[in-house]
Amino acid sequence: MTITAGTARTPQEGGAQPPRKVAVPPGGPGPRPRGRARTGGPGPGPRPRQQALAARAVLRRRFWATVPARLRLLRTATAVLTAALALLLLVAGLAANGTWDGVADRDAPRTTSAADLNLALNDMDAQAANILLSNGDAGKGRLKTPYDKAVGFYGDARRGIGHDLRTLAVAAQGNRADEKTVESLTDGFAAYQELIGRALESDDRSGGEASAVDEYRRATDLLQSRLLPASRVLVSSNDGSFESRYVAARSTLSGRLIAVVALGVLLLTALGVLQWYLARRFRRILNPGVLAATVCALLAVILGAQMLISTSGQLRGARRDAFDSVVALSRARAVAYDANADESRYLLDPERRAEYADAFLAKSQKLYGIQGVTLTTYDVWLATTWKAYESDHQDLRFTGEFRRELDNITFPGERAAAEKTVETYAVYQRDDRKIRALVAAGKEQEAVEFCMGWEPGTSNAHFGAWMTALDKVTDINQAHFAASVRAGRSAVSGLLPWACGLLLAAMLLTALGLRPRLAEFR
C-alpha cells in the first residue's frame, strides 16, 4: 500500500501516539519545587532563636572561648575602666579649680564689696557730721585735728563708695534685681552727695549752721531710708549667691567622690580577676605587670579620693569657718560706724536727740544684744552677761553679730582677738554714757571735744582701739580664708597629675604584663 506524505496515521494503524499536553489548573498538583515543605507552601527558613544561638556562638568563639580571646577581653575591660576613671578625675579636678576661681575671684569679693559699700556709706555720713561739728562758725573755733581727720576720712569714704558701686554694677550683670538695686544706689548716692555738698557749703558761711544742719538732716534721712537698706540687700544677695554655689559645689564633690570610689573598686576587681585567671591558666602565682598595674590603680584611687575630700574640706573651711565670720564682722563694723555717727548726729541736731539715742541703742543691740535693757542699764547688763560668758562659753544671755563670731571660733588666736573686741566695745559704750551725761549737764562743748578728740582716753581714741581689735579678728579669718583657697587649689594641682599619671601607668603595665602571655599563642 502506498503512503501519501503528510497523511497522519490513525490509532488503528498501530503507530506511536504523541504525548498529550495536559493543562494543570492553578494550585493543582504538580512537581514539588525545592524548599517547599511536605505539607505545601513556602518553608520558614532559619528561626530567630537559632540565629541568636549562632551569633552567640560566634561571639563566644571570638571573645571568650579561647585563652587569647579571654585575655584580650580582660585587657580591654581594664583599659576602659582605667580611662573612665582618669576622665572622671580630670573632669572633677577641672571643676574644682573652677570652683576655687569662683570663690576667690567672684563670690567672696562681691560680698565683701557690698559689705564695704555699707560701711563706707555709714563712714561718709559720720564724717560729714564730724566736719559740721568740728568746723565751728564758718571755721572760727574749729577743732583742727578732728576737722582735718574728718575731711580726710570723708574723702576716702566717698572714693571707696564710687569704687564699690562700679564693682557691684559689674557683678550684678545678668541679675535684674541686683541691677535695679545698684542703679537705685547710684542715683541715690548722687542725690546724697548733693545734699551733703550743700550742707558743707552752708557751714562755711557765717551763720549758716542752721541751714547746714537742715541739709544734713535731709541727707542722713536719705541714707537711712534708701541707701543703707539697698546696700544691705546687696550684701544679703551676694552672700546668698555664694552660699548657693557653695552648697551645690559640696554636693557635686560628694557625688564625684562616690563615683571615683565605685569606678576604682570596679577597676581593682577587674585587675584582680585578670591576675587570678593568669595564675590559674598559666600556673604562675603572680604576673608582675598586672601586679604593678594594680598597685598603681590603687594609689590613683586613693590620691583621687584624697583630692576630692581635701577640696571639700577646704571649701567648707573657707566658707563656714572663715568667710561666715568675715561677713558677720563686716556687718558689725558697718553697724559700729553707723552707731558712732549717731553720737555725732546726737550732738549736731538737738531736735532729734531722742531719735538718735534710740537709734544708737538699736545698733548696740545688733552688735551685743541684751533683752529688755535701756541706755541707762545697758552697761551693767553688758558687764554681767560678759562675765557669765567668760565663765561658760555656752552661756546664751546675749546675741548679735559678736555672738555669731564667738560661736564660730575656729582658728588659733581668734577667740582672744574676739574677746578683746568685746572688751574694747564695752569701753566705747561707757564713753557714750559720758557724752550724754555732759550734754545733760549743759556742757555740750566738752561733750563735742570728748566725742571727737583723738587724744588717749577720748571717745574717738577708744573707738579706734575697738576697730583695731575688730580688724584683727577679721584679718585672722580672711587670712585663713585665703589659706583654704590656696590649700584647695594645691590639692588639685598636686594630686590630680599624679593620679592621672598612675592610671596611665596602670594601663601600660597591664598591656606589658599580658604581652608575653599573648605571644605564646601566635
Side-chain angles (χ1 to χ4, degrees):
M1 178 175 60
T2 305
I3 299 174
T4 307
T7 303
R9 292 184 180 181
T10 63
Q12 289 81 6
E13 294 176 7
Q17 187 176 0
R20 181 185 301 174
K21 291 183 179 180
V22 181
V24 180
R32 293 190 184 96
R34 292 182 182 180
R36 286 181 182 263
R38 290 183 177 272
T39 56
R47 296 179 180 179
R49 178 178 176 80
Q50 293 172 337
Q51 289 178 334
L53 290 174
R56 190 181 302 172
V58 171
L59 290 174
R60 188 174 182 276
R61 285 194 301 272
R62 183 173 181 180
F63 293 108
W64 188 251
T66 65
V67 172
R70 293 172 188 173
L71 291 179
R72 292 189 188 97
L73 181 63
L74 289 171
R75 181 182 63 185
T76 301
T78 57
V80 170
L81 289 171
T82 304
L85 182 56
L87 180 62
L88 176 60
L89 287 176
L90 184 61
V91 170
L94 293 175
N97 271 334
T99 297
W100 286 121
D101 290 341
V103 166
D105 302 332
R106 180 191 61 211
D107 297 328
R110 290 178 180 180
T111 305
T112 53
S113 290
D116 289 345
L117 174 63
N118 190 18
L119 169 63
L121 287 168
N122 285 316
D123 189 22
M124 184 174 173
D125 198 64
Q127 299 309 326
N130 290 340
I131 291 171
L132 297 175
L133 268 176
S134 60
N135 193 38
D137 183 9
K140 296 176 183 178
R142 175 182 293 172
L143 302 175
K144 182 171 176 36
T145 299
Y147 180 84
D148 291 342
K149 283 186 173 289
V151 169
F153 292 149
Y154 176 87
D156 292 342
R158 184 172 60 181
R159 286 187 291 272
I161 292 169
H163 175 269
D164 292 333
L165 284 173
R166 289 190 295 272
T167 300
L168 292 168
V170 173
Q173 291 178 357
N175 185 326
R176 188 56 189 158
D178 283 357
E179 286 178 355
K180 288 183 177 179
T181 302
V182 174
E183 289 172 6
S184 176
L185 270 168
T186 303
D187 294 340
F189 182 59
Y192 173 82
Q193 287 188 93
E194 183 178 353
L195 291 170
I196 290 293
R198 290 177 186 172
L200 296 178
E201 288 177 4
S202 297
D203 195 55
D204 281 337
R205 296 194 306 267
S206 180
E209 183 177 351
S211 177
V213 170
D214 183 63
E215 295 289 349
Y216 174 78
R217 185 183 295 164
R218 293 171 59 195
T220 197
D221 286 346
L222 175 62
L223 177 82
Q224 297 293 335
S225 64
R226 180 175 172 184
L227 300 183
L228 290 180
S231 68
R232 294 185 194 112
V233 167
L234 285 178
V235 175
S236 298
S237 175
N238 284 280
D239 191 45
S241 297
F242 188 179
E243 176 69 15
S244 297
R245 281 187 279 267
Y246 161 78
V247 171
R250 288 260 296 174
S251 176
T252 301
L253 285 168
S254 297
R256 284 173 176 159
L257 176 61
I258 293 172
V260 165
V261 172
L263 266 179
V265 169
L266 287 175
L267 174 59
L268 293 172
T269 301
L271 288 168
V273 169
L274 178 58
Q275 187 71 263
W276 170 82
Y277 182 75
L278 289 170
R280 181 173 175 272
R281 179 64 181 80
F282 294 94
R283 302 293 188 272
R284 289 178 174 83
I285 297 176
L286 292 173
N287 182 287
V290 176
L291 177 62
T294 305
V295 173
C296 288
L298 178 61
L299 289 175
V301 172
I302 292 173
L303 291 179
Q306 184 180 350
M307 177 191 75
L308 295 174
I309 292 171
S310 178
T311 299
S312 182
Q314 294 298 340
L315 185 59
R316 186 191 184 285
R319 172 63 201 188
R320 288 283 176 263
D321 298 338
F323 200 75
D324 280 358
S325 290
V326 170
V327 172
L329 293 167
S330 297
R331 285 174 173 153
R333 187 177 176 86
V335 172
Y337 271 79
D338 199 9
N340 192 46
D342 279 331
E343 281 188 339
S344 299
R345 297 169 189 140
Y346 175 87
L347 294 170
L348 179 67
D349 192 353
E351 293 182 15
R352 289 189 173 185
R353 278 181 178 166
E355 178 183 334
Y356 289 136
D358 291 342
F360 182 90
L361 177 60
K363 286 153 194 171
S364 299
Q365 292 280 44
K366 288 181 181 179
L367 296 170
Y368 191 106
I370 309 169
Q371 187 174 3
V373 299
T374 64
L375 278 176
T376 305
T377 60
Y378 187 88
D379 292 341
V380 174
W381 281 105
L382 192 156
T384 301
T385 54
W386 185 244
K387 186 175 180 180
Y389 170 81
E390 288 180 319
S391 300
D392 178 14
H393 290 163
Q394 303 305 314
D395 189 286
L396 300 176
R397 278 182 278 181
F398 68 93
T399 59
E401 299 295 347
F402 289 153
R403 184 80 223 192
R404 288 190 183 91
E405 165 56 20
L406 289 165
D407 287 342
N408 194 37
I409 299 297
T410 310
F411 309 115
E414 185 179 4
R415 184 175 297 280
E419 291 176 353
K420 180 69 174 176
T421 301
V422 177
E423 291 164 3
T424 53
Y425 167 75
V427 174
Y428 172 76
Q429 284 287 334
R430 291 193 293 270
D431 286 347
D432 177 77
R433 310 312 171 254
K434 181 177 179 178
I435 292 170
R436 299 180 197 281
L438 288 170
V439 170
K443 301 177 181 179
E444 292 196 20
Q445 185 60 29
E446 290 184 32
V448 170
E449 291 175 358
F450 178 73
C451 177
M452 301 193 60
W454 288 92
E455 298 79 8
T458 60
S459 179
N460 261 348
H462 290 153
F463 181 79
W466 175 26
M467 292 299 99
T468 299
L470 186 62
D471 287 345
K472 184 174 181 180
V473 190
T474 306
D475 290 344
I476 289 172
N477 283 279
Q478 286 179 330
H480 282 279
F481 173 82
S484 294
V485 173
R486 287 194 302 272
R489 284 174 165 163
S490 178
V492 176
S493 62
L495 297 176
L496 181 60
W498 280 101
C500 291
L502 285 168
L503 289 173
L504 178 61
M507 192 182 299
L508 294 175
L509 287 168
T510 302
L512 291 174
L514 291 178
R515 187 176 181 182
R517 304 286 77 81
L518 290 170
E520 296 176 10
F521 296 90
R522 291 175 185 170

